[in-house]
Each structure stands twice: as structure tokens, then as C-alpha cells.
Amino acid sequence: MKILITGSNGLLGQKLVKLMSAKADIEVIATARNSDRLPVNYGSYEFHPLDITDEAAVLDVMNQYKPDAVINTAAMTNVDQCESEKEGCIDLNVNAVKYLIKACEATGSHLVHCSTDFIFDGTHGPLDENEKPNPVNFYGESKLEAETLVINSNISWAIARTVLVYGIANDMSRSNIILWVKNSLENGKEINVVDDQWRTPTLAEDLANGCYLIAKKKAKGIYNISGKDMLTPYDMAIKTADFFKLNKSLIHKTDGSKFKQPAKRPPKTGFIIEKARKDLGYEPHSFEEGLKVLSEQMQVA
């Protein structure tokens, strides 16, 4: 089976390449806007530079490889940046998806498109796949618009929705809550962490496995692919401090109203993952198990 990955330099992209290039029956084509940043020990894959906001380039690369499946991990995911750079957000989160759909139509490829809990307003949770979207920020609007394009297309498709992905990767351009908490506490820095938002944080390896299972089975429809523990960022910070034996008295509980951020956040999301468990055999790590995975990777790095 031939699988093409977009955004292969990102956190999820790297985990997907590592996971699938180790499988004898999968031929992996890794694509990213810039040069290949993957470590040399990531197994057997072919890299091709690709800017998915370039329609001609997308069609060209897809026609060249004719993959059985495409996993689209590329997106502008910085929520505040999306609010201030709306044109760039639409280009990468919506227009590029339009081009991928068109290319999948031409090649008959199955599209696995990654989406987010931020398409919801956060009035309640956890949520299943049938929940009605109602985004509260521009990032969520762009991801919902892309979902609508995929759902209304004539191609074979699946949408993998996820929540608050954490992990470590090679040459990371962005941090995440676990690394931020760990680094802050190690440096003796006091931090304020909200306890009025709820999520089901997702280990990057689990999301990669969920996307791989969807692509491998060519499963169709919407799947919630997230962690299984419903936690506030404050809960996550305390658990991180406990795991790494750091001073949790430096962590101060606060609420979202104390932060001035350009984009509004949905207060409560989190996902019910029974459909993915039943259809795909998906089983994520607990949050504590995820911390152990990160800890082991940090020791190797």
C-alpha cells in the first residue's frame, strides 16, 4: 500500500513517517513545504518537497505517485496566528484541502483529513462524532470549512478529529503544554494554568496510529481520535510535575478570563472515542502512560 503524508516535518507528520516506514507492506511518501527534517533513523520512505497551497504542484505530485491513501496533517494550527493572518489560514487550511480533494479525484486516492475539537463551541463535552459544530474562532471556522469540502466531495474520505496533541519530535518549531510546564518548573519559574477548560489530550503517537488505522482500512466517515482522559490544563500541569518530580507549588490555578488572547477558546470539548475503538481497534495511552513515553524519548534525544 502506498501512503502519501503532507506536513511530514510536523509533530504528527514525523510520528506517521516513523510508524509507517517500519511496516514492510507500506510504501511511504513524505512531503513537506521545506526540505526533509526527519532523522536519518526513521526507516524507509521517499521524500518529495510539496507546498500544498500550490494547486499545480499538488496535482503534479499526486499524479506522479498515485497513492492509495493521503493523510493530510499540514495545517496552520496556531489559533492566535489564524486570527491575525486570516488569508494565510484560509490558504493552508481550506484552499489546500480543495486542491487535495481535486487531486484525489484524479488519482482515486482515499483522503484522511485531520481536523480538530475547535470546530465546537465548548458549551459541553465530551463529544461524539454526531455533535453539531459551532466554532468560536477563525481557526475553528477554517477547519470546519475544510471538513465541509471533504464531506461534500465525491472522493473516498475520512476525517480524523483530535484534541490538544502533545509529544516531542525532531527540530520542533512549536512546544506543547507538557514541555512548557516541565521546562518552566525545571527553571524555577512560576506559571499560571487554567482550570476552566477541559480536553482529552492526545499523545502524538496515538493520533498517528489512529490515522494509520483509518488509511490502512480505508475507513470512511468521521472518527474521533484523541486521548481517553478528560483533564483541565491545570490537571495536566500537576500530573506533569508529579511524574517528573518537580515543584508543583510553582503552578497557580487561574481561569481563561485572566488571559488576553486574540482568539477565543472553547471551554469544554474532549472526545468520546468508542467509534474508533469499535471500528479501528484504536486504544490510546492514558495521560500518565503518555508522559512515560515522552520521558523515554527525552532520554534518547
Side-chain angles (χ1 to χ4, degrees), residues 177-252:
I177 185 167
I178 316 305
L179 302 182
W180 170 70
V181 169
K182 181 176 180 289
N183 292 338
S184 298
L185 301 185
E186 282 174 344
N187 291 318
K189 187 180 170 190
E190 297 196 21
I191 55 173
N192 296 315
V193 188
V194 298
D195 75 334
D196 61 345
Q197 294 175 10
W198 287 263
R199 305 284 185 258
T200 46
T202 311
L203 180 67
E205 278 79 2
D206 287 335
L207 177 55
N209 188 47
C211 291
Y212 160 70
L213 290 169
I214 292 170
K216 177 79 174 159
K217 294 171 184 278
K218 288 198 176 175
K220 295 178 183 178
I222 298 168
Y223 285 93
N224 287 343
I225 306 288
S226 78
K228 55 188 172 185
D229 299 324
M230 189 79 158
L231 302 167
T232 67
Y234 180 77
D235 296 331
M236 296 174 221
I238 294 294
K239 285 176 183 289
T240 300
D242 284 342
F243 182 88
F244 290 105
K245 297 182 172 53
L246 297 167
N247 182 6
K248 60 187 174 190
S249 70
L250 294 168
I251 304 169
H252 303 297

Side-chain angles (χ1 to χ4, degrees), residues 114-135:
C114 296
S115 194
T116 173
D117 60 321
F118 273 39
I119 63 167
F120 300 107
D121 56 21
T123 55
H124 60 285
L127 313 163
D128 68 14
E129 286 83 356
N130 299 313
E131 193 69 35
K132 192 173 184 296
N134 184 32

Side-chain angles (χ1 to χ4, degrees), residues 150-188:
V150 172
I151 290 166
N152 292 332
S153 72
N154 297 315
I155 62 169
S156 172
W157 63 267
I159 291 168
R161 289 178 181 158
T162 196
V163 183
L164 192 65
V165 182
Y166 66 94
I168 58 171
N170 188 57
D171 195 16
M172 279 180 68
S173 57
R174 288 183 64 194
S175 187
N176 53 61
I177 185 167
I178 316 305
L179 302 182
W180 170 70
V181 169
K182 181 176 180 289
N183 292 338
S184 298
L185 301 185
E186 282 174 344
N187 291 318

